[in-house]
Structures are given as C-alpha cells and as structure tokens.
Amino acid sequence: MKTALDLSEAIAVVHRDMQAHLGQGRVADYIPALARVDPRRFGIAAATCDGQLVCAGDGAEPFSVQSISKVFTLTLALEKLGADLWRRVGREPSGSRFNSMVRLEQEHGVPRNPLINAGALVVTDALLDRGDTGTTIEGIADFLRLRSEDPSVDIDQEVARSEGDTGFLNASLANFLKASNNLHSDVADVLKVYFNQCALRMSCSQLARAGLYLTADGLDPWTGERVTTAVRARRINAIMMTCGHYDASGEFAFRVGLPGKSGVGGGILAIAPHRAAVAVWSPGLNAAGTSHVGSMALERLAQLMDWSVF
Ligand code: GLU
C-alpha cells in the first residue's frame, strides 16, 4: 500500500525540488505594476481541515491574487442570487483565452463560465447591483479578511490603478456585456470593482486559510461557520476543475488532479477535498497565464500526498 508523507515533509520536498526551476516562465507584463516582480520568488502554504498550517519559501509574502479572487466573488454572488446567477453566466469550459472577445460574441453576451474575465465581470456586476463601488469593494475585501482570519488583507492601489490604465480588453468585454443587457451597473463601476478585487494582496498562507471552506462542504473547518451550502461548494470546485485555468484547465486536471484557480500574479489556489487548501506563488507564467513553477509544485505535492479527486 502507498504511504503518503507527512505534510510538512512533503512541503519541504516540494520547496527543495522547485529550486532548480525558479525563474522559469514569463512574468505578466500587460499589467505594468506586475511586471516588476522578481520571477525567482516561490512560496507555498497548505491549510488542513484538521487545523495545521504549513508554509515554506515566500509563503508568507503577499502578492497580487488577480483571478484567484474570482472564486471568492463567485461564492458571494451565489450566496446573494442563488441559482438565478446561472441565467447570466454558463458553466462550460471555454477552451479559449481568459479575455477572449470572440467567444463572448459567439455566446451572445452570456459568458461561458464565471472564471473567464467576461464571466467574472458579470459576477462582479451581480455583487455591485447598481450600488456603491466603495461599499462593494470593501465587502469583497472584508470577506477575504474574515476567511483568512487576518484583518491586514488589503488592496494594492498601485496594481488597481495600473490595471485601470491598461485594461482595454476588459473594458471591451464589459462594454459588449452592457450592449447585450447582461450588465446592470455602469461599465466604469463594474471595471473599478473588478480591478480592485484582482488587486487584493494576499500571501499563500492567507489564501490557503481563506480557501478552507471549499475543502469542507462549505463549512469553515476551523471555526465551524457555514460560508456556503455544501452543494454550492461542490459546484464551485467543479467549475474550478473544469474552468480554473482557462484553456489549460484540462492539462491542470490531468497533471494535478485537483480543482484549482490561477491568477496572473503567479498564484494558484488548489483544493484537496476533505484534506487541505493549498496556495502556491511563483510569478513566471505559462502561455495560459498559470504559474509555471506553481503548477509543477502542486503536481509534485499532490503526488507526494496521494491527493486527487479522481
Ligand atoms: N486582472 C487580470 C485581468 O483581468 C486577471 C487575469 C488572471 O489573473 O488570470 O486581465
């Protein structure tokens, strides 16, 4: 019978094994404030259902969570709208780039899933609901502060501004959604909230802690709080598995075997149901915008711990 390693040993092995690969991949440079990050950084942290938090390398260093935020806004929107959300966004893998305009036009303004940019903009609009941008941004940040049990979680204003200055494709998607009657608030307001949620700064430790409710059927295993229903938590995991890495979601499922969500800041959040939430960070990306070393690290950890949903 296979014997899995102790988690701390496994994390130490992964940290050691990744040293030879540091610097591989390409740092996202289409958001100027992200282009300056040192590509050799590497962090990893795992929070387990039974109360451990194991961290290595730069695992305590905050970075730009970018699209990992989409998992948390999806959770909030499902709590707010329930199944009505699915009238405005689908749940099929897109097979195209994260910011594809062609795909949105083909789908007549109903984005394929909530984890591509167009879908995430609809989710953000559902949270904003013609309301105040400041209150909505604080609501999202507060959710992350609560889930990570860390009031210091905050938004990097420079990154938010940098995205605002250069986010022409996101603006195109938002305008197309508006023209398709699938955005209720003003385009500028939706973009403002979206750029701020992407600019949240969190460490691997904070992210792993925050993601724990997705490992335990929607219940925070450390505090016993119900964050979302069991069915919703499973469905969020299903969407992370099928859509969490855009057009490379199949590859991630094949190699890692866990639901995950990437961000172009180089972070990935992965969920090993009933065991642990794991976050990795390494800024060099592959062609699909997923951390190159981060996905290698998760593949190695899943193998060492014998974690897979399959
Ligand atoms: N803020 C990024 C964008 O909208 C997020 C993309 C990502 O992290 O995958 O372009």
Side-chain angles (χ1 to χ4, degrees):
M1 206 178 99
K2 235 185 286 182
T3 47
L5 280 184
D6 164 71
L7 179 62
S8 309
E9 287 165 5
I11 296 259
V13 170
V14 172
H15 180 232
R16 192 197 62 212
D17 287 359
M18 290 308 120
Q19 298 306 307
H21 304 283
L22 298 189
Q24 294 175 357
R26 230 185 102 104
V27 175
D29 54 8
Y30 74 102
I31 302 170
L34 292 184
R36 293 197 302 269
V37 182
D38 176 1
R40 298 185 56 82
R41 305 303 292 273
F42 172 74
I44 182 165
T48 67
C49 290
D50 61 9
Q52 292 183 73
L53 180 67
V54 183
C55 171
D58 297 316
E61 176 82 17
F63 60 91
S64 190
V65 307
Q66 293 294 316
S67 286
I68 301 173
S69 65
K70 294 170 181 171
V71 171
F72 300 105
T73 50
L74 175 61
T75 305
L76 289 169
L78 283 172
E79 286 308 288
K80 182 170 174 180
L81 291 190
D84 284 349
L85 183 67
W86 304 121
R87 295 174 199 263
R88 299 179 57 188
V89 61
R91 56 244 178 176
E92 290 294 345
S94 68
S96 40
R97 279 190 63 73
F98 66 98
N99 51 12
S100 171
M101 271 298 295
V102 173
R103 175 62 78 183
L104 185 61
E105 201 173 353
Q106 280 166 346
E107 308 287 340
H108 308 290
V110 178
R112 277 235 143 182
N113 68 68
L115 299 183
I116 51 173
N117 284 16
L121 288 163
V122 168
V123 169
T124 298
D125 181 62
L127 294 178
L128 181 58
D129 200 19
R130 297 186 186 86
D132 176 61
T133 52
T135 314
T136 311
I137 293 165
E138 271 315 290
I140 297 167
D142 276 343
F143 181 66
L144 269 315
R145 290 178 188 124
L146 199 66
R147 296 281 45 95
S148 60
E149 293 189 293
D150 194 335
S152 74
V153 168
D154 220 340
I155 290 160
D156 184 327
Q157 293 303 331
E158 194 201 344
V159 172
R161 256 196 316 275
S162 186
E163 278 211 68
D165 291 344
T166 56
F168 306 114
L169 262 175
N170 284 317
S172 306
L173 293 169
N175 277 293
F176 193 88
L177 289 165
K178 188 74 177 173
S180 311
N181 290 322
N182 200 4
L183 221 54
H184 300 164
S185 305
D186 288 346
V187 165
D189 287 354
V190 176
L191 289 171
K192 182 174 178 186
V193 178
Y194 175 75
F195 292 145
N196 274 271
Q197 77 182 55
C198 287
L200 275 159
R201 268 167 66 80
M202 292 175 75
S203 66
C204 292
S205 303
Q206 289 167 333
L207 267 175
R209 166 71 192 92
L212 263 178
Y213 68 95
L214 292 170
T215 69
D217 294 332
L219 206 71
D220 186 318
W222 290 8
T223 62
E225 280 167 274
R226 170 135 325 268
V227 181
T228 189
T229 65
V231 172
R232 284 180 195 149
R234 285 179 197 159
R235 289 181 168 169
I236 294 166
N237 275 295
I239 292 169
M240 288 170 78
M241 179 60 95
T242 52
C243 314
H245 304 269
Y246 314 122
D247 45 338
S249 299
E251 180 71 10
F252 189 85
F254 180 84
R255 285 175 46 194
V256 181
L258 299 173
K261 180 71 205 90
S262 63
V264 292
I268 307 173
L269 174 65
I271 304 300
H274 306 293
R275 296 180 190 278
V278 187
V280 290
W281 173 51
S282 183
L285 308 178
N286 63 22
T290 294
S291 171
H292 175 74
V293 176
S295 49
M296 277 171 65
L298 285 169
E299 180 177 3
R300 185 84 177 105
L301 183 68
Q303 179 194 44
L304 289 169
M305 296 304 292
D306 199 21
W307 285 344
S308 170
V309 298
F310 300 107

